[in-house]
Amino acid sequence: MPLTIFQFFHWYFPKEKNLWNEAAAQAEHLQFTGISHVWLPPAYKSSAGDNGVGYDVYDLFDLGEFDQKGTVRTKYGTKDEYLNAVTKLHEHNISVMADIVLNHKNGADEFETVKVIQVDTNDRNKVISKPEDKQISTKYYFPGRNKKYSDFVWDYKTFTGVDACAESNEKCIYKIVNDYGDLWDDVVGDEFGNFDYLLGADIEFRNPAVTAELEYWGKWYVETAGIESFRLDAVKHISAKFYKEWLDCLNRVFKKKFFTVAEYWSQDIKYLHEYLDVMQGRVQLFDVPLHHNFFEASKQGKDYKLPDIFKDTLLQSRPQSAITFVDNHDTQPTQALESFVDFWFKPHANALILLRQQGIPVVFYTDYYGGSYTVGENTIELAPVPNLYKMLKIRQQYLDGEQNDYFDHPNVIGWCNKGSGENEASGFGVVLSNNEDGFKEMHLGNHNGAKTFVDITNNVQDKITTNDEGTALFTVKGRNISIWMKEAALEQIK
Ligand code: CA
């Protein structure tokens, strides 16, 4: 069965709904739709308590167990509810992908007075102040947890930099002068000179006490929660050397290779290649350029040349390393990286990741379940993408077979999967349009004599019968998609 990941959250998932209980309740359904991995959000205590999405980590050892930051539970529920969700997903043969956020910490317990130098926010290699003593928020000892699981204290020696001084809200980045000098750590890429620093208190991976603590935490987390795959947050800002050693350590301890997806957020394929090369097969990467192409295609409409949809993507250059997705919690409306694919193009984009053999796709929560939220004056309503359930059922059962592309017209493209000889119901064709009604002559071979196909999206009502060789003109409505299958398959994708 092909791998399919489900991102089971979005940025504005309401805390009242308790995501962990929701994931447990949906486990059976997700298994039925062929989901192999569920990606759950960061499970540890956020600096914003039970309002934090989880990317502003306060305490990695608090999975909703201790009264810290004004709450025992996290936004998603308690530790027991989390562990129950993982158990329920496992009972349905679904791997749990844990979100690993190790670039920074937020919400320090105390300030420290430390020697720092200010750097230019646009060129972090450029120092713009003399070394000076500043009060910075870098002391973490987690009084609410009281040393349970770990007595490690984080202080200025465990961080590379911070972004504001205690006494003002001045916008600035300070490099901490510590045992590892006054330079940032090595990272892949050269945005802003060096993009080690993202936000909060940036973790110092050159400190061996830090890497030892994070390896200890990784072991504790895997053993405690029983997770078996990772999504690594913000690797653009983290030394590749650290994650190589961290993954090698966990793979060695647990005698397995954890399936690992890293988030290197760049549209520039050259950085993705560079990161993959440095990591030497330890990780796969989200195909950010592909998401960007989907977004552009949805904005440009008929002016976008559909045969270019895979141009400069990982899917095109390194399909074995590509984790494909349409949208995520960072690209959804009102978020910082907002680049939400327009609704009319969502079926196109989802068909392009789910109904083809290359890449491992991620289905986004709101694309499947929909979502509704209010930010300031804006009320956002996100509708579920039509026919997504059917696409997942097709992926689950009918992806084997020879795949042929017909990417030969700027506004209408298609591909078909010829299916296998043994399965009468197999074989399907997909046609996408970004302009007018159209058709694609495709050869669906591998079956004897003429066969009749129906559009399972119901966008086209008429049936289509091939000639004796299995060739026909498969039609599509303007700015729409059609998925042509044999009637014998209909019962299997209900
Ligand atoms: Ca960093």
Side-chain angles (χ1 to χ4, degrees):
M1 209 176 72
L3 299 184
T4 310
I5 303 168
F6 197 104
Q7 179 179 358
F8 200 88
F9 67 103
H10 68 102
W11 195 272
Y12 301 99
F13 189 91
K15 72 177 173 189
E16 298 74 27
K17 278 183 78 179
N18 193 311
L19 187 94
W20 300 150
N21 291 345
E22 187 83 4
Q26 290 295 314
E28 186 177 358
H29 176 73
L30 293 169
Q31 179 186 29
F32 187 72
T33 56
I35 299 301
S36 58
H37 293 73
V38 163
W39 161 19
L40 294 175
Y44 16 86
K45 187 66 56 72
S46 148
S47 65
D50 60 0
N51 291 312
V53 175
Y55 294 99
D56 50 346
V57 184
Y58 167 64
D59 185 3
L60 291 164
F61 286 99
D62 183 357
L63 304 175
E65 181 180 5
F66 303 100
D67 189 359
Q68 302 193 105
K69 299 297 172 192
T71 172
V72 172
R73 63 167 285 184
T74 69
K75 177 180 177 181
Y76 309 111
T78 63
K79 179 183 180 184
D80 287 343
E81 288 162 340
Y82 176 57
L83 298 183
N84 177 57
V86 175
T87 302
K88 284 286 182 301
L89 289 163
H90 285 169
E91 283 171 10
H92 291 91
N93 287 327
I94 294 172
S95 279
V96 174
M97 179 174 279
D99 211 321
I100 307 294
V101 185
L102 299 185
N103 179 62
H104 49 261
K105 293 175 91 65
N106 295 79
D109 297 308
E110 278 178 20
F111 293 110
E112 297 178 289
T113 301
V114 174
K115 203 163 283 306
V116 298
I117 44 180
Q118 192 175 353
V119 300
D120 186 334
T121 51
N122 293 313
D123 179 2
R124 280 80 182 285
N125 292 323
K126 191 169 153 197
V127 177
I128 56 174
S129 79
K130 289 203 166 61
E132 54 186 326
D133 285 333
K134 284 265 178 196
Q135 260 212 329
I136 58 172
S137 45
T138 41
K139 187 87 175 264
Y140 291 76
Y141 57 97
F142 316 108
R145 175 157 56 78
N146 196 24
K147 300 181 180 168
K148 193 169 177 188
Y149 306 130
S150 167
D151 60 4
F152 191 82
V153 174
W154 297 76
D155 63 13
Y156 73 95
K157 294 175 182 169
T158 65
F159 298 109
T160 61
V162 291
D163 66 352
C165 12
E167 62 268 28
S168 77
N169 288 321
E170 188 188 344
K171 261 278 182 196
C172 54
I173 299 177
Y174 287 109
K175 175 74 191 71
I176 297 167
V177 180
N178 63 16
D179 296 346
Y180 311 93
D182 51 11
L183 295 177
W184 299 101
D185 202 355
D186 277 339
V187 292
V188 169
D190 54 9
E191 278 177 86
F192 302 115
N194 173 305
F195 215 171
D196 179 8
Y197 188 82
L198 175 64
L199 57 86
D202 187 83
I203 291 179
E204 174 62 88
F205 298 104
R206 291 169 294 194
N207 182 335
V210 167
T211 55
E213 173 69 0
L214 292 176
E215 287 177 0
Y216 167 72
W217 171 77
K219 286 180 256 182
W220 173 86
Y221 187 25
V222 169
E223 272 163 7
T224 300
I227 48 177
E228 57 275 282
S229 67
F230 304 125
R231 179 259 182 197
L232 308 181
D233 183 62
V235 300
K236 182 158 80 170
H237 312 285
I238 295 175
S239 125
K241 179 173 176 287
F242 164 72
Y243 261 136
K244 282 165 80 168
E245 290 172 2
W246 191 80
L247 289 169
D248 287 350
C249 168
L250 293 180
N251 288 338
R252 196 169 55 239
V253 168
F254 293 98
K255 298 185 175 63
K256 61 191 280 193
K257 184 171 188 291
F258 286 90
F259 175 52
T260 303
V261 181
E263 179 224 16
Y264 191 105
W265 196 265
S266 175
Q267 289 163 26
D268 192 335
I269 193 74
K270 115 182 148 209
Y271 293 127
L272 304 190
H273 288 170
E274 193 181 331
Y275 192 78
L276 285 171
D277 289 343
V278 173
M279 293 302 283
Q280 296 170 309
R282 290 174 178 83
V283 302
Q284 293 176 281
L285 284 183
F286 288 111
D287 197 342
V288 178
L290 180 66
H291 158 75
H292 181 70
N293 286 2
F294 289 156
F295 177 64
E296 281 299 315
S298 79
K299 290 294 175 197
Q300 291 177 24
K302 65 180 165 48
D303 295 330
Y304 192 90
K305 291 187 179 60
L306 285 178
D308 289 346
I309 199 73
F310 297 137
K311 198 173 172 215
D312 296 329
T313 64
L314 271 185
L315 199 57
Q316 183 183 59
S317 54
R318 301 205 189 171
Q320 287 84 354
S321 299
I323 303 295
T324 56
F325 66 102
V326 177
D327 275 301
N328 68 25
H329 61 291
D330 285 324
T331 70
Q332 74 183 95
T334 75
Q335 268 306 293
L337 298 172
E338 177 175 342
S339 51
F340 208 58
V341 174
D342 273 7
F343 192 71
W344 74 274
F345 198 75
K346 285 268 192 185
H348 303 58
N350 276 284
L352 283 161
I353 65 169
L354 292 173
L355 299 181
R356 297 174 56 78
Q357 290 161 341
Q358 293 73 26
I360 298 173
V362 187
V363 174
F364 183 42
Y365 186 95
T366 65
D367 280 357
Y368 193 75
Y369 291 110
S372 160
Y373 53 92
T374 303
V375 180
E377 310 253 292
N378 295 325
T379 295
I380 310 286
E381 297 284 348
L382 302 176
V385 176
N387 300 302
L388 200 45
Y389 168 79
K390 286 181 181 173
M391 290 190 219
L392 286 165
K393 292 300 283 182
I394 296 168
R395 177 175 178 80
Q396 179 187 35
Q397 301 170 85
Y398 297 111
L399 209 60
D400 292 342
E402 186 185 329
Q403 178 181 297
N404 289 323
D405 288 347
Y406 299 82
F407 284 29
D408 52 4
H409 185 283
N411 301 116
V412 180
I413 59 170
W415 68 94
C416 61
N417 184 307
K418 289 186 172 179
S420 73
E422 296 121 50
N423 186 348
E424 224 353 70
S426 71
F428 64 88
V430 184
V431 193
L432 316 180
S433 161
N434 68 358
N435 189 13
E436 297 169 335
D437 293 0
F439 60 84
K440 191 64 62 187
E441 183 180 270
M442 298 197 292
H443 175 64
L444 262 156
N446 279 10
H447 46 75
N448 303 320
K451 287 284 183 313
T452 299
F453 286 80
V454 291
D455 176 9
I456 59 100
T457 70
N458 297 318
N459 291 325
V460 177
Q461 299 294 325
D462 297 336
K463 297 177 185 177
I464 286 176
T465 302
T466 66
N467 64 16
D468 285 347
E469 282 76 49
T471 300
L473 298 181
F474 292 92
T475 53
V476 63
K477 293 285 185 196
R479 281 167 67 91
N480 224 313
I481 78 167
S482 285
I483 303 169
W484 294 96
M485 300 195 76
K486 292 177 198 148
E487 281 177 311
L490 293 183
E491 196 59 35
Q492 303 305 315
I493 60 167
K494 259 169 58 179

